[in-house]
Amino acid sequence: MEFQDFLGHLGLPAVYDPFEADAPQLFQSLAKSAPFLNKSKMEQTRMDRVTELQPSGAFSNAGFFTLDKEKAVNAYFQCLVDVMCEEAATHNASSGQAVGTGKTLPERVYDLADYQTKEVPGGGKHKMDLVFFYPYRPETIPNVHIIVEGKLSRVPDPIDEDTLGQIADYQYSVWKAQRTRAFVPVLLVHGTQLDLVAFTRDHWYRVELGPVSYGKQVVRNQDIEKVRLTMARLYYLITLPSERFGHFCDVNDGQQCLRFVPNADENSVLATVESHAKPAVGSSVSDDLIDLSGYIERFIHPRGRLAHVFKTMYRGATAIIKLSWTPVDRLPEGAIYEILEKAGVQGVPRVYDSGLLKNNFFGHRLEYLVLEDCGSSIKDYLISKHAEELKSNAFDESVKSIVQQTLSCLVQARVKGNILHRDISPGNIRVARDGTVKVIDWGYAK
């Protein structure tokens, strides 16, 4: 996928285009200092002619020149990020505005850490090379922003199975640990090249950013411009706020609650807030918080449909809030519940609120549902019974009632609403304390 096409999916061209057009000199002197990858080591480059703007010398005494193979590639990338951020900070301090834009450059937000010799806790069986973490938080999987993987040689297109399997393992760990993810970005530094591999719920996409070093020792102006453009693209991506790159809301502040708030288009979006924050003014959906600590553990598939479920309070009552990534060619689960309600089907949960947070993001939509708390699963309900009850006729009658209510709901859905559930399991049949049964999770229904 082309870089501009990827930005289009994120809704960012209007923001990036002025950044690239109005700052043509950004990182040019740094690009002239970029090293030459000679087989397994980094070496200094030479220019074929004298130009007005000389190399910055930022890498002249860099430690990556003493390393080889992947260690050299990763060390250079880490050094590159540091010097780019230093150059931007120096520029902002000296002039207060970017070249031609009248605006200061965005500055570094995320912490870049080296994990080549240690594991990120909860990060799966493979070791990540470098990791961008959210600031001021522990370096663990729930706090990973961007993963960096370094390879000495160029990775073919399509990506070979070993490399793809390795970085897919990384992204799966992140999907499991982070409830607000829209996609997981992996920066792939391979040889002289830098790519972005973005894992969405639909697919993975390889976005070519360009060269970050040189494949020959003597470089020309056109080579320098390619490296400069790649540096600008890289700097832009690593300084984007989390809600624009990787998440559907801002997670940089580390808050543990979400709140529905209206955006400029009068649609609902999720924002992170403190647990003691006041209700958002003019909130069109709910004045209640979603406490992320109330997460209900579920199996997370590597790709396709994904649902995060939270038990929380909604307008003074216990409720279930469900955030679901579903393919755009499927009927939203909220629409299924609406059909069942209009058809008068008994045994389905009451829906307090529903809507879309993202309508079409790489082939998937993000839907929210606020549902009544329907009690325990069949397994938990039966385990809660005392041993004496298990041997009594009352227990047999309870089981019979559960089966009858479940079948009645499914038959009504088929006959009255022309809806098939298609995902019946013990976890999707909930039993209240009084024995009332509700069939939940209609996301696969047709």
Side-chain angles (χ1 to χ4, degrees), residues 372-417:
E372 68 169 312
D373 184 2
C374 298
S376 307
S377 67
I378 291 178
K379 178 181 177 181
D380 292 339
Y381 178 78
L382 295 179
I383 289 176
S384 68
K385 297 294 184 181
H386 296 293
E388 296 78 22
E389 288 186 76
L390 297 178
K391 299 176 182 178
S392 67
N393 291 332
F395 177 77
D396 293 339
E397 290 300 319
S398 294
V399 173
K400 185 185 298 184
S401 175
I402 291 171
V403 174
Q404 289 175 340
Q405 291 182 70
T406 302
L407 291 176
S408 174
C409 175
L410 297 175
V411 170
Q412 288 181 66
R414 181 69 181 92
V415 174
K416 294 182 178 181

Side-chain angles (χ1 to χ4, degrees), residues 176-190:
K176 289 191 295 183
Q178 299 185 16
R179 325 301 184 202
T180 58
R181 273 289 171 183
F183 70 94
V184 179
V186 179
L187 289 171
L188 179 61
V189 192
H190 55 117

Side-chain angles (χ1 to χ4, degrees), residues 3 6-7 10 12 110 145-146 187 196 209 232-241 245:
F3 181 67
F6 181 75
L7 292 182
L10 302 184
L12 292 175
Y110 310 101
H145 180 51
I146 304 172
L187 289 171
L196 170 67
L209 300 182
R233 289 175 172 180
L234 172 61
Y235 186 79
Y236 178 76
L237 294 180
I238 65 174
T239 55
L240 281 172
F245 193 71

